[in-house]
Amino acid sequence: IFLFGGGALLAYALERTAMSSRFASWLVRRAGTSPLRVLTAVMLATAVMSAFVSNLATTATMLPLAVALAARARGAAADDAGRAAAARFGTSLFLGVAFAASIGGALTIIGSPPNPIAVEWLRKNGVEMDFVRWLRFSVPTTAVFLPIAIAVLGVWLFPARGISVPAGDHRNQPVSRDGWIALGIFVLAVTAWVSQPLYAKLLPSLKDGTIGVGAAALLFIVPSKDRPGRGILDGAAFAKVPWRVLVLFGGGLCLADAMQRTGLSTSLGTIIHSAGTLPSLAVLAIMVTLLVFSSEVGSNTTLAAMAVPIVGGLAPGLGVKPETLVIPAVFAASWAFALPVGTPPNALVYASGHVRSRDMMRAGLILDVVAIVVIVVMAKILL
């Protein structure tokens, strides 16, 4: 929750100083003006960033970019058909940011909380798992799934043919001092997030949330040149924090705790365990399906913490290596797309007010099914 609050303030600083708009222009100039190519560039950038930075921080950073690009497409629309296409393009962008953040979070060990849960369990049970070994599964799997997600959003469900996305141009406008400071603090925060494993033992209390809040605090402390007497951010910035999403996260954590206290998590484990007499492929498919849809209403971290020991314990009886079940389990816990409460990126994008719940559910359910197939197939091929 603290990470999300700090990330939202960082994102607002980049937006207020026009740095996110500049990045939008830079990205579009390289992607072209085709809506599909712009969507591809945004989702690829989001997934790569999310591999090293928290899904929440990534979404909070990329969402202003999506807002800027969608606004440019709407502004360039000349008729009703163009405006309808621009609306579809905006929907695909906002959903693309949320979905790509979750997809990219599975790329590296530090990309999402379920990943280190799996790695730690495997290490404790004699399976050495490092960055490179994780990437051997995550990179091909993501390389298959991400283009499918782009095609589902940009080609199938929300096609935006017949329009172009103006790039805008900041090249002749110098970057303000406030913009450089906001960018520098953002880069400092990203560096601290990425390098956290290097100093985690020396500074165990320095968590992602601490970094986010600390970076946001710097934005209030450093004086602004554009607005003398005030910081880069001032008290008005707190109105930009989507407090209802923080409450939503709190409720989700309570729901996850209730799942454990009432035995619902144990029941889910029993269902998975009862499938132990089936062939390993059937067990894998059942496990992935259950976890994908359970993650729509529960914390992916809680599900991973519950599922990893259970599915890992099933492996010897099935005659398969533990990682054959454990790694797909955490991917399944992270790749849920249909509901606003399914993942923090979904909640953040939905709270922005730019996406209808029915659009998220329609696209998300399709990608849930695709995710199940991709995870199962790639696990059988690569693990």
Side-chain angles (χ1 to χ4, degrees):
I1 290 175
F2 281 106
L3 170 66
F4 173 79
L9 290 170
L10 277 172
Y12 173 62
L14 293 175
E15 181 183 357
R16 195 194 68 76
T17 57
M19 295 305 288
S20 60
S21 180
R22 289 174 180 274
F23 180 58
S25 298
W26 177 87
L27 191 65
V28 175
R29 282 199 299 270
R30 279 146 186 80
T33 59
S34 162
L36 183 58
R37 291 185 63 182
V38 172
L39 174 65
T40 300
V42 169
M43 290 185 68
L44 182 60
T46 303
V48 171
M49 184 184 297
S50 186
F52 301 98
V53 180
S54 158
N55 298 357
L56 270 176
T58 299
T59 307
T61 301
M62 296 300 290
L63 188 55
L65 167 64
V67 172
L69 293 172
R72 289 180 189 172
R74 287 196 303 271
D79 52 27
D80 289 344
R83 284 186 284 272
R88 292 193 296 271
F89 170 64
T91 299
S92 70
L93 267 184
F94 300 127
L95 291 177
V97 167
F99 295 169
S102 296
I103 294 169
L107 260 175
T108 65
I109 292 174
I110 62 172
S112 185
N115 304 351
I117 291 174
V119 170
E120 185 65 18
W121 187 91
L122 289 170
R123 287 174 178 170
K124 287 182 177 179
N125 287 272
V127 180
E128 189 58 34
M129 183 61 61
D130 54 25
F131 257 81
V132 175
R133 291 179 182 176
W134 184 274
L135 291 174
R136 287 175 184 169
F137 178 75
S138 66
V139 170
T141 304
T142 303
V144 170
F145 188 43
L146 186 60
I148 295 175
I150 293 170
V152 168
L153 292 176
V155 178
W156 180 11
L157 296 181
F158 309 106
R161 302 180 185 91
I163 64 170
S164 61
V165 185
D169 198 348
H170 292 283
R171 285 175 292 185
N172 297 324
Q173 303 172 14
V175 179
S176 68
R177 174 181 172 274
D178 287 7
W180 284 120
I181 292 174
L183 180 62
I185 292 175
F186 170 73
V187 171
L188 180 65
V190 170
T191 303
W193 281 324
V194 173
S195 60
Q196 191 177 20
L198 300 178
Y199 58 80
K201 292 183 180 179
L202 295 175
L203 299 170
S205 61
L206 190 59
K207 306 295 184 183
D208 280 352
T210 314
I211 295 169
V213 171
L218 283 176
L219 292 167
F220 287 92
I221 295 171
V222 176
S224 169
K225 184 178 180 181
D226 299 340
R227 303 182 300 172
R230 290 189 280 182
I232 303 296
L233 292 182
D234 56 20
F238 287 109
K240 299 295 182 178
V241 177
W243 300 103
R244 58 178 176 168
V245 178
L246 300 186
V247 175
L248 176 64
F249 289 165
L253 292 173
C254 292
L255 177 62
D257 186 61
M259 289 174 63
Q260 290 182 314
R261 291 175 181 268
T262 60
L264 181 58
S265 297
T266 303
S267 299
L268 178 63
T270 302
I271 293 172
I272 297 176
H273 192 276
S274 66
T277 56
L278 298 175
S280 60
L281 179 61
V283 173
L284 179 63
I286 292 171
M287 175 200 73
V288 169
T289 301
L290 282 173
L291 288 174
V292 165
F293 287 108
S294 296
S295 189
E296 293 287 3
V297 293
S299 162
N300 59 353
T301 304
T302 300
L303 282 171
M306 175 275 300
V308 164
I310 295 173
V311 301
L314 284 177
L318 295 171
V320 297
K321 296 178 291 185
E323 60 266 35
T324 303
L325 297 179
V326 169
I327 294 178
V330 296
F331 269 72
S334 297
W335 283 3
F337 306 100
L339 296 179
V341 296
T343 63
N346 277 21
L348 175 55
V349 169
Y350 179 73
S352 71
H354 295 290
V355 175
R356 297 178 300 181
S357 58
R358 65 181 182 183
D359 289 333
M360 180 175 284
M361 289 183 65
R362 182 166 60 129
L365 284 173
I366 292 171
L367 289 183
D368 281 353
V369 174
V370 173
I372 292 167
V373 174
V374 169
I375 292 171
V376 171
V377 171
M378 298 303 287
K380 292 303 293 183
I381 294 173
L382 299 173
L383 297 177

